[in-house]
């Protein structure tokens, strides 16, 4: 399952993403986690040494390598220069899995606590004033487009705060989106933005309330998000200790909060996977990118890279997925 964690900055989306990933890994599920936020905090939340993680490889600096690896022998993508972040896989493309060894993933991802982790990387000095952050997360979008994952496997992506995810088609790359929402008008406003942008794309959104103090907070969330409210987490001593650098076993999370994390996992699995929709939307956004700017840059019609009957999920390293 490909899962996005989104929300207003400071709502706790990184915390929830890390708790979800760590709980799933502790229960024996294969887990991949990606920090796709501008502010890179997921590594520390997962219990990695933040300074060591910051010195490691980041996806955004290896986009050319990622393109060259994923295009494989696909004759419709003869060079990395003709590959956009939206380019879908086709015959000959190199596909990835959550758990199987892969030379590129092994180089760019770090294994920690049963989780394969990577970060997009933040802005560097050369980016300031000239670069869009979506050029960084293009690497993540490509990986998601070429990743074959199962219903009991989890790819957890900590997304950029606010509604910035809708500046590209990456918001359609997920089987389920969890929006972490504080009981405030500003946080609820981000949920309503997401709902408005996503309504035409069949995006599954569940709201996880966070930092609730009392029944009034819960009533506020129920009033403003309705049936989308999956559950709510109270303020947590466990989380506070983790934010101070003491990341204990995830089973030590308060039982009522742990139950919300488990409910999120169960909701994701129950929703299932729709490979046909995933592929259809990949093709749609690739056409949009090709028409908007890709064709002019490449000098060819990049929409010709689309193979209509090639449905990801029916192909795993060149063989059918069972």
């Amino acid at each position: 399952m490909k899962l996005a964690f989104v929300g207003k900055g400071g709502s706790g989306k990184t915390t929830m993403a890390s708790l979800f990933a760590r709980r799933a890994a502790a229960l024996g599920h294969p887990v991949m986690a990606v920090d796709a936020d501008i502010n890179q905090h997921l590594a520390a939340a997962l219990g990695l040494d933040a300074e060591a993680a910051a010195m490691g490889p980041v996806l955004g600096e290896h986009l050319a390598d990622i393109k060259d690896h994923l295009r494989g022998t696909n004759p419709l993508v003869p060079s990395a220069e003709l590959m956009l972040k939206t380019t879908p896989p086709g015959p000959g493309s190199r596909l990835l899995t959550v758990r199987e060894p892969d030379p590129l993933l092994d180089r760019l991802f770090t294994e920690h606590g049963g989780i394969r982790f990577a970060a997009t990387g933040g802005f560097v000095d050369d980016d300031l004033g000239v670069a869009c952050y979506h050029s960084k997360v293009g690497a993540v979008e490509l990986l998601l487009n070429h990743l074959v994952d199962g219903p009991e496997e989890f790819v957890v992506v900590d997304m950029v705060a606010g509604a910035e995810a809708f500046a590209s088609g990456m918001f359609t790359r997920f089987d389920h989106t969890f929006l972490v929402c504080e009981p405030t008008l500003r946080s609820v406003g981000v949920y309503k933005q997401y709902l408005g942008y996503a309504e035409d794309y069949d995006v599954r959104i569940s709201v996880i309330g966070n930092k609730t103090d009392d029944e009034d907070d819960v009533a506020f969330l129920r009033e403003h998000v309705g049936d989308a409210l999956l559950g709510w987490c109270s303020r947590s001593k466990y989380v506070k200790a983790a934010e101070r650098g003491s990341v204990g076993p995830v089973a030590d999370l308060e039982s009522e909060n742990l139950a919300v994390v488990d409910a999120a996992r169960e909701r994701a699995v129950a929703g299932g996977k729709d490979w046909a929709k995933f592929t259809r939307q990949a093709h749609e956004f690739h056409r949009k990118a090709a028409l908007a700017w890709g064709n002019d840059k490449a000098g060819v019609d990049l929409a010709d890279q689309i193979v209509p009957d090639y449905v990801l999920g029916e192909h795993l390293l060149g063989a059918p997925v069972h």
Side-chain angles (χ1 to χ4, degrees), residues 43-74:
L46 291 172
L48 283 85
D49 180 271
E51 291 186 7
M55 297 300 291
V58 292
L59 301 177
E61 294 179 4
H62 293 272
L63 182 57
D65 293 338
I66 292 170
K67 288 181 176 181
D68 220 30
H69 185 70
L70 295 179
R71 69 185 183 85
T73 60
N74 185 345

PDB file of all heavy atoms in Angstrom, residues 43-74:
ATOM      1  N   ALA A  43      13.616  11.149   9.517  1.00  0.00           N
ATOM      2  CA  ALA A  43      14.702  10.259   9.952  1.00  0.00           C
ATOM      3  C   ALA A  43      14.794  10.217  11.471  1.00  0.00           C
ATOM      4  O   ALA A  43      14.844   9.147  12.088  1.00  0.00           O
ATOM      5  CB  ALA A  43      16.036  10.703   9.347  1.00  0.00           C
ATOM      6  N   ALA A  44      14.811  11.393  12.089  1.00  0.00           N
ATOM      7  CA  ALA A  44      14.901  11.455  13.548  1.00  0.00           C
ATOM      8  C   ALA A  44      13.681  10.822  14.201  1.00  0.00           C
ATOM      9  O   ALA A  44      13.788  10.133  15.218  1.00  0.00           O
ATOM     10  CB  ALA A  44      15.063  12.899  14.000  1.00  0.00           C
ATOM     11  N   ALA A  45      12.499  11.047  13.612  1.00  0.00           N
ATOM     12  CA  ALA A  45      11.276  10.481  14.177  1.00  0.00           C
ATOM     13  C   ALA A  45      11.277   8.961  14.109  1.00  0.00           C
ATOM     14  O   ALA A  45      10.656   8.297  14.942  1.00  0.00           O
ATOM     15  CB  ALA A  45      10.051  11.042  13.447  1.00  0.00           C
ATOM     16  N   LEU A  46      11.992   8.407  13.120  1.00  0.00           N
ATOM     17  CA  LEU A  46      12.093   6.958  12.998  1.00  0.00           C
ATOM     18  C   LEU A  46      13.161   6.375  13.914  1.00  0.00           C
ATOM     19  O   LEU A  46      13.292   5.158  14.019  1.00  0.00           O
ATOM     20  CB  LEU A  46      12.410   6.567  11.554  1.00  0.00           C
ATOM     21  CG  LEU A  46      11.297   6.807  10.531  1.00  0.00           C
ATOM     22  CD1 LEU A  46      11.825   6.563   9.118  1.00  0.00           C
ATOM     23  CD2 LEU A  46      10.095   5.921  10.802  1.00  0.00           C
ATOM     24  N   GLY A  47      13.935   7.257  14.559  1.00  0.00           N
ATOM     25  CA  GLY A  47      14.966   6.797  15.475  1.00  0.00           C
ATOM     26  C   GLY A  47      16.354   6.762  14.888  1.00  0.00           C
ATOM     27  O   GLY A  47      17.292   6.303  15.547  1.00  0.00           O
ATOM     28  N   LEU A  48      16.520   7.266  13.647  1.00  0.00           N
ATOM     29  CA  LEU A  48      17.846   7.341  13.067  1.00  0.00           C
ATOM     30  C   LEU A  48      18.594   8.529  13.660  1.00  0.00           C
ATOM     31  O   LEU A  48      17.987   9.493  14.142  1.00  0.00           O
ATOM     32  CB  LEU A  48      17.784   7.509  11.545  1.00  0.00           C
ATOM     33  CG  LEU A  48      17.460   6.283  10.712  1.00  0.00           C
ATOM     34  CD1 LEU A  48      15.963   6.077  10.597  1.00  0.00           C
ATOM     35  CD2 LEU A  48      18.061   6.416   9.310  1.00  0.00           C
ATOM     36  N   ASP A  49      19.907   8.471  13.601  1.00  0.00           N
ATOM     37  CA  ASP A  49      20.716   9.613  13.996  1.00  0.00           C
ATOM     38  C   ASP A  49      20.534  10.700  12.947  1.00  0.00           C
ATOM     39  O   ASP A  49      20.863  10.511  11.768  1.00  0.00           O
ATOM     40  CB  ASP A  49      22.188   9.214  14.103  1.00  0.00           C
ATOM     41  CG  ASP A  49      23.066  10.374  14.520  1.00  0.00           C
ATOM     42  OD1 ASP A  49      23.542  11.113  13.637  1.00  0.00           O
ATOM     43  OD2 ASP A  49      23.273  10.541  15.733  1.00  0.00           O
ATOM     44  N   ALA A  50      19.986  11.849  13.356  1.00  0.00           N
ATOM     45  CA  ALA A  50      19.626  12.900  12.405  1.00  0.00           C
ATOM     46  C   ALA A  50      20.836  13.437  11.643  1.00  0.00           C
ATOM     47  O   ALA A  50      20.776  13.675  10.433  1.00  0.00           O
ATOM     48  CB  ALA A  50      18.911  14.036  13.126  1.00  0.00           C
ATOM     49  N   GLU A  51      21.961  13.627  12.339  1.00  0.00           N
ATOM     50  CA  GLU A  51      23.150  14.156  11.675  1.00  0.00           C
ATOM     51  C   GLU A  51      23.704  13.155  10.666  1.00  0.00           C
ATOM     52  O   GLU A  51      24.101  13.526   9.554  1.00  0.00           O
ATOM     53  CB  GLU A  51      24.211  14.519  12.713  1.00  0.00           C
ATOM     54  CG  GLU A  51      23.839  15.714  13.580  1.00  0.00           C
ATOM     55  CD  GLU A  51      24.977  16.133  14.488  1.00  0.00           C
ATOM     56  OE1 GLU A  51      26.093  15.583  14.346  1.00  0.00           O
ATOM     57  OE2 GLU A  51      24.748  16.999  15.344  1.00  0.00           O
ATOM     58  N   ALA A  52      23.726  11.884  11.032  1.00  0.00           N
ATOM     59  CA  ALA A  52      24.218  10.858  10.114  1.00  0.00           C
ATOM     60  C   ALA A  52      23.310  10.749   8.896  1.00  0.00           C
ATOM     61  O   ALA A  52      23.783  10.617   7.761  1.00  0.00           O
ATOM     62  CB  ALA A  52      24.312   9.514  10.829  1.00  0.00           C
ATOM     63  N   ALA A  53      21.997  10.822   9.124  1.00  0.00           N
ATOM     64  CA  ALA A  53      21.052  10.745   8.015  1.00  0.00           C
ATOM     65  C   ALA A  53      21.224  11.924   7.068  1.00  0.00           C
ATOM     66  O   ALA A  53      21.114  11.781   5.844  1.00  0.00           O
ATOM     67  CB  ALA A  53      19.621  10.688   8.547  1.00  0.00           C
ATOM     68  N   ALA A  54      21.488  13.098   7.623  1.00  0.00           N
ATOM     69  CA  ALA A  54      21.666  14.292   6.801  1.00  0.00           C
ATOM     70  C   ALA A  54      22.892  14.199   5.910  1.00  0.00           C
ATOM     71  O   ALA A  54      22.963  14.847   4.860  1.00  0.00           O
ATOM     72  CB  ALA A  54      21.746  15.536   7.686  1.00  0.00           C
ATOM     73  N   MET A  55      23.866  13.408   6.327  1.00  0.00           N
ATOM     74  CA  MET A  55      25.092  13.262   5.544  1.00  0.00           C
ATOM     75  C   MET A  55      24.974  12.164   4.487  1.00  0.00           C
ATOM     76  O   MET A  55      25.861  12.010   3.649  1.00  0.00           O
ATOM     77  CB  MET A  55      26.264  12.942   6.473  1.00  0.00           C
ATOM     78  CG  MET A  55      26.584  14.043   7.479  1.00  0.00           C
ATOM     79  SD  MET A  55      27.034  15.603   6.673  1.00  0.00           S
ATOM     80  CE  MET A  55      28.619  15.129   5.968  1.00  0.00           C
ATOM     81  N   GLY A  56      23.898  11.394   4.530  1.00  0.00           N
ATOM     82  CA  GLY A  56      23.738  10.286   3.599  1.00  0.00           C
ATOM     83  C   GLY A  56      23.210  10.744   2.252  1.00  0.00           C
ATOM     84  O   GLY A  56      22.912  11.927   2.036  1.00  0.00           O
ATOM     85  N   PRO A  57      23.084   9.815   1.294  1.00  0.00           N
ATOM     86  CA  PRO A  57      22.568  10.168  -0.033  1.00  0.00           C
ATOM     87  C   PRO A  57      21.104  10.585   0.044  1.00  0.00           C
ATOM     88  O   PRO A  57      20.353  10.109   0.907  1.00  0.00           O
ATOM     89  CB  PRO A  57      22.731   8.870  -0.822  1.00  0.00           C
ATOM     90  CG  PRO A  57      22.720   7.782   0.211  1.00  0.00           C
ATOM     91  CD  PRO A  57      23.378   8.378   1.427  1.00  0.00           C
ATOM     92  N   VAL A  58      20.709  11.504  -0.819  1.00  0.00           N
ATOM     93  CA  VAL A  58      19.315  11.950  -0.882  1.00  0.00           C
ATOM     94  C   VAL A  58      18.819  11.786  -2.315  1.00  0.00           C
ATOM     95  O   VAL A  58      19.565  11.959  -3.278  1.00  0.00           O
ATOM     96  CB  VAL A  58      19.147  13.407  -0.397  1.00  0.00           C
ATOM     97  CG1 VAL A  58      19.420  13.522   1.095  1.00  0.00           C
ATOM     98  CG2 VAL A  58      20.045  14.360  -1.175  1.00  0.00           C
ATOM     99  N   LEU A  59      17.552  11.463  -2.449  1.00  0.00           N
ATOM    100  CA  LEU A  59      16.980  11.131  -3.747  1.00  0.00           C
ATOM    101  C   LEU A  59      17.061  12.287  -4.732  1.00  0.00           C
ATOM    102  O   LEU A  59      17.315  12.080  -5.922  1.00  0.00           O
ATOM    103  CB  LEU A  59      15.526  10.692  -3.566  1.00  0.00           C
ATOM    104  CG  LEU A  59      15.291   9.478  -2.660  1.00  0.00           C
ATOM    105  CD1 LEU A  59      13.794   9.215  -2.512  1.00  0.00           C
ATOM    106  CD2 LEU A  59      15.989   8.248  -3.211  1.00  0.00           C
ATOM    107  N   GLY A  60      16.828  13.510  -4.236  1.00  0.00           N
ATOM    108  CA  GLY A  60      16.791  14.660  -5.124  1.00  0.00           C
ATOM    109  C   GLY A  60      18.091  14.931  -5.841  1.00  0.00           C
ATOM    110  O   GLY A  60      18.100  15.568  -6.907  1.00  0.00           O
ATOM    111  N   GLU A  61      19.196  14.458  -5.292  1.00  0.00           N
ATOM    112  CA  GLU A  61      20.500  14.678  -5.920  1.00  0.00           C
ATOM    113  C   GLU A  61      20.888  13.548  -6.862  1.00  0.00           C
ATOM    114  O   GLU A  61      21.969  13.581  -7.468  1.00  0.00           O
ATOM    115  CB  GLU A  61      21.572  14.849  -4.839  1.00  0.00           C
ATOM    116  CG  GLU A  61      21.386  16.114  -4.007  1.00  0.00           C
ATOM    117  CD  GLU A  61      22.437  16.260  -2.928  1.00  0.00           C
ATOM    118  OE1 GLU A  61      23.357  15.409  -2.880  1.00  0.00           O
ATOM    119  OE2 GLU A  61      22.340  17.207  -2.131  1.00  0.00           O
ATOM    120  N   HIS A  62      20.022  12.542  -6.981  1.00  0.00           N
ATOM    121  CA  HIS A  62      20.335  11.388  -7.827  1.00  0.00           C
ATOM    122  C   HIS A  62      19.225  11.142  -8.848  1.00  0.00           C
ATOM    123  O   HIS A  62      19.016   9.998  -9.270  1.00  0.00           O
ATOM    124  CB  HIS A  62      20.539  10.149  -6.961  1.00  0.00           C
ATOM    125  CG  HIS A  62      21.757  10.222  -6.101  1.00  0.00           C
ATOM    126  ND1 HIS A  62      23.001   9.820  -6.524  1.00  0.00           N
ATOM    127  CD2 HIS A  62      21.925  10.691  -4.832  1.00  0.00           C
ATOM    128  CE1 HIS A  62      23.889  10.007  -5.565  1.00  0.00           C
ATOM    129  NE2 HIS A  62      23.258  10.542  -4.523  1.00  0.00           N
ATOM    130  N   LEU A  63      18.545  12.201  -9.262  1.00  0.00           N
ATOM    131  CA  LEU A  63      17.424  12.051 -10.183  1.00  0.00           C
ATOM    132  C   LEU A  63      17.875  11.428 -11.506  1.00  0.00           C
ATOM    133  O   LEU A  63      17.185  10.551 -12.054  1.00  0.00           O
ATOM    134  CB  LEU A  63      16.753  13.401 -10.425  1.00  0.00           C
ATOM    135  CG  LEU A  63      15.522  13.391 -11.333  1.00  0.00           C
ATOM    136  CD1 LEU A  63      14.463  12.444 -10.800  1.00  0.00           C
ATOM    137  CD2 LEU A  63      14.948  14.803 -11.474  1.00  0.00           C
ATOM    138  N   ALA A  64      19.013  11.859 -12.026  1.00  0.00           N
ATOM    139  CA  ALA A  64      19.489  11.312 -13.300  1.00  0.00           C
ATOM    140  C   ALA A  64      19.773   9.815 -13.171  1.00  0.00           C
ATOM    141  O   ALA A  64      19.434   9.022 -14.064  1.00  0.00           O
ATOM    142  CB  ALA A  64      20.740  12.053 -13.763  1.00  0.00           C
ATOM    143  N   ASP A  65      20.392   9.410 -12.054  1.00  0.00           N
ATOM    144  CA  ASP A  65      20.671   7.991 -11.826  1.00  0.00           C
ATOM    145  C   ASP A  65      19.378   7.191 -11.723  1.00  0.00           C
ATOM    146  O   ASP A  65      19.278   6.067 -12.234  1.00  0.00           O
ATOM    147  CB  ASP A  65      21.479   7.804 -10.546  1.00  0.00           C
ATOM    148  CG  ASP A  65      22.878   8.384 -10.634  1.00  0.00           C
ATOM    149  OD1 ASP A  65      23.376   8.546 -11.762  1.00  0.00           O
ATOM    150  OD2 ASP A  65      23.457   8.681  -9.571  1.00  0.00           O
ATOM    151  N   ILE A  66      18.392   7.770 -11.034  1.00  0.00           N
ATOM    152  CA  ILE A  66      17.109   7.093 -10.858  1.00  0.00           C
ATOM    153  C   ILE A  66      16.419   6.907 -12.206  1.00  0.00           C
ATOM    154  O   ILE A  66      15.896   5.826 -12.517  1.00  0.00           O
ATOM    155  CB  ILE A  66      16.224   7.886  -9.874  1.00  0.00           C
ATOM    156  CG1 ILE A  66      16.820   7.820  -8.465  1.00  0.00           C
ATOM    157  CG2 ILE A  66      14.790   7.366  -9.884  1.00  0.00           C
ATOM    158  CD1 ILE A  66      16.171   8.753  -7.473  1.00  0.00           C
ATOM    159  N   LYS A  67      16.436   7.955 -13.044  1.00  0.00           N
ATOM    160  CA  LYS A  67      15.828   7.845 -14.369  1.00  0.00           C
ATOM    161  C   LYS A  67      16.515   6.764 -15.195  1.00  0.00           C
ATOM    162  O   LYS A  67      15.856   5.936 -15.833  1.00  0.00           O
ATOM    163  CB  LYS A  67      15.920   9.191 -15.098  1.00  0.00           C
ATOM    164  CG  LYS A  67      15.002  10.272 -14.568  1.00  0.00           C
ATOM    165  CD  LYS A  67      15.160  11.549 -15.381  1.00  0.00           C
ATOM    166  CE  LYS A  67      14.182  12.621 -14.940  1.00  0.00           C
ATOM    167  NZ  LYS A  67      14.312  13.857 -15.746  1.00  0.00           N
ATOM    168  N   ASP A  68      17.824   6.785 -15.198  1.00  0.00           N
ATOM    169  CA  ASP A  68      18.565   5.825 -16.011  1.00  0.00           C
ATOM    170  C   ASP A  68      18.301   4.391 -15.546  1.00  0.00           C
ATOM    171  O   ASP A  68      18.196   3.467 -16.365  1.00  0.00           O
ATOM    172  CB  ASP A  68      20.061   6.140 -15.933  1.00  0.00           C
ATOM    173  CG  ASP A  68      20.751   5.976 -17.268  1.00  0.00           C
ATOM    174  OD1 ASP A  68      20.092   6.191 -18.304  1.00  0.00           O
ATOM    175  OD2 ASP A  68      21.944   5.630 -17.277  1.00  0.00           O
ATOM    176  N   HIS A  69      18.172   4.217 -14.240  1.00  0.00           N
ATOM    177  CA  HIS A  69      17.927   2.888 -13.681  1.00  0.00           C
ATOM    178  C   HIS A  69      16.524   2.402 -14.041  1.00  0.00           C
ATOM    179  O   HIS A  69      16.347   1.263 -14.492  1.00  0.00           O
ATOM    180  CB  HIS A  69      18.105   2.946 -12.166  1.00  0.00           C
ATOM    181  CG  HIS A  69      17.998   1.622 -11.480  1.00  0.00           C
ATOM    182  ND1 HIS A  69      18.940   0.632 -11.599  1.00  0.00           N
ATOM    183  CD2 HIS A  69      17.039   1.119 -10.647  1.00  0.00           C
ATOM    184  CE1 HIS A  69      18.599  -0.419 -10.875  1.00  0.00           C
ATOM    185  NE2 HIS A  69      17.435  -0.144 -10.287  1.00  0.00           N
ATOM    186  N   LEU A  70      15.532   3.264 -13.859  1.00  0.00           N
ATOM    187  CA  LEU A  70      14.151   2.839 -14.019  1.00  0.00           C
ATOM    188  C   LEU A  70      13.754   2.640 -15.474  1.00  0.00           C
ATOM    189  O   LEU A  70      12.901   1.798 -15.772  1.00  0.00           O
ATOM    190  CB  LEU A  70      13.210   3.856 -13.358  1.00  0.00           C
ATOM    191  CG  LEU A  70      13.320   3.979 -11.838  1.00  0.00           C
ATOM    192  CD1 LEU A  70      12.353   5.045 -11.327  1.00  0.00           C
ATOM    193  CD2 LEU A  70      13.057   2.648 -11.149  1.00  0.00           C
ATOM    194  N   ARG A  71      14.348   3.393 -16.390  1.00  0.00           N
ATOM    195  CA  ARG A  71      13.940   3.240 -17.783  1.00  0.00           C
ATOM    196  C   ARG A  71      14.363   1.887 -18.347  1.00  0.00           C
ATOM    197  O   ARG A  71      13.736   1.357 -19.270  1.00  0.00           O
ATOM    198  CB  ARG A  71      14.475   4.376 -18.649  1.00  0.00           C
ATOM    199  CG  ARG A  71      15.971   4.390 -18.872  1.00  0.00           C
ATOM    200  CD  ARG A  71      16.413   5.632 -19.637  1.00  0.00           C
ATOM    201  NE  ARG A  71      17.842   5.605 -19.897  1.00  0.00           N
ATOM    202  CZ  ARG A  71      18.394   4.994 -20.940  1.00  0.00           C
ATOM    203  NH1 ARG A  71      17.633   4.394 -21.831  1.00  0.00           N
ATOM    204  NH2 ARG A  71      19.706   4.994 -21.107  1.00  0.00           N
ATOM    205  N   GLY A  72      15.408   1.296 -17.744  1.00  0.00           N
ATOM    206  CA  GLY A  72      15.821  -0.039 -18.153  1.00  0.00           C
ATOM    207  C   GLY A  72      16.061  -0.128 -19.641  1.00  0.00           C
ATOM    208  O   GLY A  72      16.819   0.661 -20.211  1.00  0.00           O
ATOM    209  N   THR A  73      15.360  -1.081 -20.282  1.00  0.00           N
ATOM    210  CA  THR A  73      15.478  -1.257 -21.728  1.00  0.00           C
ATOM    211  C   THR A  73      14.195  -0.847 -22.455  1.00  0.00           C
ATOM    212  O   THR A  73      13.954  -1.286 -23.588  1.00  0.00           O
ATOM    213  CB  THR A  73      15.804  -2.724 -22.058  1.00  0.00           C
ATOM    214  OG1 THR A  73      14.748  -3.569 -21.551  1.00  0.00           O
ATOM    215  CG2 THR A  73      17.132  -3.135 -21.441  1.00  0.00           C
ATOM    216  N   ASN A  74      13.397  -0.026 -21.805  1.00  0.00           N
ATOM    217  CA  ASN A  74      12.147   0.440 -22.413  1.00  0.00           C
ATOM    218  C   ASN A  74      12.472   1.218 -23.696  1.00  0.00           C
ATOM    219  O   ASN A  74      13.074   2.285 -23.634  1.00  0.00           O
ATOM    220  CB  ASN A  74      11.396   1.332 -21.422  1.00  0.00           C
ATOM    221  CG  ASN A  74      10.030   1.762 -21.932  1.00  0.00           C
ATOM    222  OD1 ASN A  74       9.717   1.638 -23.120  1.00  0.00           O
ATOM    223  ND2 ASN A  74       9.202   2.282 -21.034  1.00  0.00           N
TER     224      ASN A  74
END
